[in-house]
Amino acid sequence: MKNLLILLVFLAMAACDNSLSEKEKQEYANKGNEISQASFKALSEKLTEQMKLGGPAKAIPFCNVEAIPLTQQLSEEYKVTIKRTSDKLRNQENKPSERELEIINNFHKLISGKKEITPIVEVDSNNNKHYYAPITVKANCLACHGEVDEFVSIKTDSIIKSLYPNDKAIGYNEGDLRGIWSIEFKK
Ligand code: HEC
């Protein structure tokens, strides 16, 4: 009887065990890296094109209309859900989930402890796989996310404010954590 009980407990634990093997983790990490890099490339190519055509005044309205549809299109291509999110949002539609916010806060802690940050792969209680990777601020992000009147011109700031009255995504320095890529793999 006692043995049967132990067996039942063991089976119940095995059924709830959603953990991934090291090999699976590596596979999802590789896929996540590939997808986030492709998305970054697609977004920054469009952004650079618009910046050349007319600076922030042209590029900001472009991002406003095109950034989310572009990641949605890539989501369909890769059969995943691609999201960019942050603890200091520009667009409220990119709002983080509770778990995403925890990941961002952990990345902040690692950075302030001068530790290396690497992408995270994990499984949720519904057995969906997730990939999270840091997005850091580069020099060419500052025209729209840096300090106002230093990198972000007063004119650019007013365009941002008119489209995003609750914008928090400003005042960053190069190397700061801007947010994360969050990719959910469909079963
Ligand atoms: C031309 C101005 C511009 C530049 C340059 C720019 N961004 Fe943004 N960024 C925006 C706008 C506008 C949004 C809101 C897009 C939307 O509506 O989805 C945004 C949104 C984001 C978001 C999504 C989270 C949020 O706050 O809504 C991230 C992450 C982000 N930017 C990172 C970067 C990084 C990293 C760079 C540099 C590689 C960069 N941006 C360069 C204008 C810019």
Side-chain angles (χ1 to χ4, degrees), residues 30-47:
N30 291 345
K31 274 193 232 168
N33 288 341
E34 182 198 331
I35 296 169
S36 57
Q37 278 160 21
S39 310
F40 178 75
K41 192 163 168 268
L43 280 170
S44 49
E45 273 172 9
K46 298 263 178 193
L47 188 73

Side-chain angles (χ1 to χ4, degrees), residues 38 51 53 57 61 67 76 95-96 127-128 138 162 166 174-175 183:
M51 285 290 269
L53 286 173
E76 278 165 33
K95 198 169 181 270
N127 205 22
N128 290 325
K138 310 269 166 18
S162 68
N166 296 316
E174 224 181 309
I183 299 173

Side-chain angles (χ1 to χ4, degrees), residues 59-160:
I60 294 167
F62 171 83
C63 287
N64 179 241
V65 179
E66 294 296 335
I68 292 180
L70 195 68
T71 46
Q72 275 168 353
Q73 190 191 324
L74 287 158
S75 295
E76 278 165 33
E77 269 175 49
Y78 285 100
K79 301 191 171 43
V80 294
T81 307
I82 308 170
K83 184 175 166 190
R84 286 190 315 161
T85 186
S86 177
D87 53 339
K88 293 205 288 176
L89 287 175
R90 176 148 295 169
N91 187 340
Q92 291 298 323
E93 283 179 45
N94 298 321
K95 198 169 181 270
S97 68
E98 223 173 279
R99 184 62 190 144
E100 285 164 343
L101 199 55
E102 272 172 19
I103 303 263
I104 296 171
N105 289 333
N106 286 340
F107 281 155
H108 276 303
K109 278 188 206 141
L110 288 170
I111 291 173
S112 45
K114 303 248 180 295
K115 298 219 175 67
E116 195 193 346
I117 41 174
T118 49
I120 292 174
V121 172
E122 61 184 28
V123 192
D124 64 22
S125 53
N126 296 320
N127 205 22
N128 290 325
K129 282 83 183 168
H130 295 261
Y131 164 96
Y132 305 101
I135 301 177
T136 47
V137 175
K138 310 269 166 18
N140 64 347
C141 314
L142 295 177
C144 301
H145 294 295
E147 292 287 349
V148 178
D149 212 13
E150 188 180 348
F151 294 102
V152 179
S153 71
I154 303 290
K155 183 177 163 223
T156 299
D157 187 47
S158 72
I159 300 170
I160 294 172

